[in-house]
Amino acid sequence: MPLFIAALAFLLPLAALFLWRHLRPGETPSGWLVLAAALAVALVLGGALHYGLNRSMERGERYVPATLTPER
C-alpha cells in the first residue's frame, strides 16, 4: 500500500499538468498558481528534512536490529 501511495503522489501532479495542457492549450498558469506550487514544494522538502533529522540515529549510537520472538 505505501508503494501505491508513493506512486500516486508522484503521478498525480503529472496527470494534473497533462490535464491542464489538454484543457487549456494556449494558456500559461497564473503567477499565484506557480507561487502556490513553489510554496508546496518548499513545505514538502522542509517536512522531509525535519522528519529525517528527528528520526536519525545519533553519531556513535549502536544499531540494534529488530528480532522476532515467538508469540505466547
Side-chain angles (χ1 to χ4, degrees), residues 13-37:
L14 292 175
L17 173 68
F18 289 132
L19 184 64
W20 174 277
R21 301 296 274 167
H22 179 70
L23 293 177
R24 300 173 185 235
E27 290 186 40
T28 58
S30 69
W32 290 108
L33 183 63
V34 173
L35 182 64

Side-chain angles (χ1 to χ4, degrees), residues 34-50:
V34 173
L35 182 64
L39 183 62
V41 167
L43 285 174
V44 167
L45 290 176
L49 180 66
H50 177 71

Side-chain angles (χ1 to χ4, degrees), residues 62-71:
R62 185 170 179 210
Y63 174 71
V64 180
T67 57
L68 296 176
T69 58
E71 293 183 27

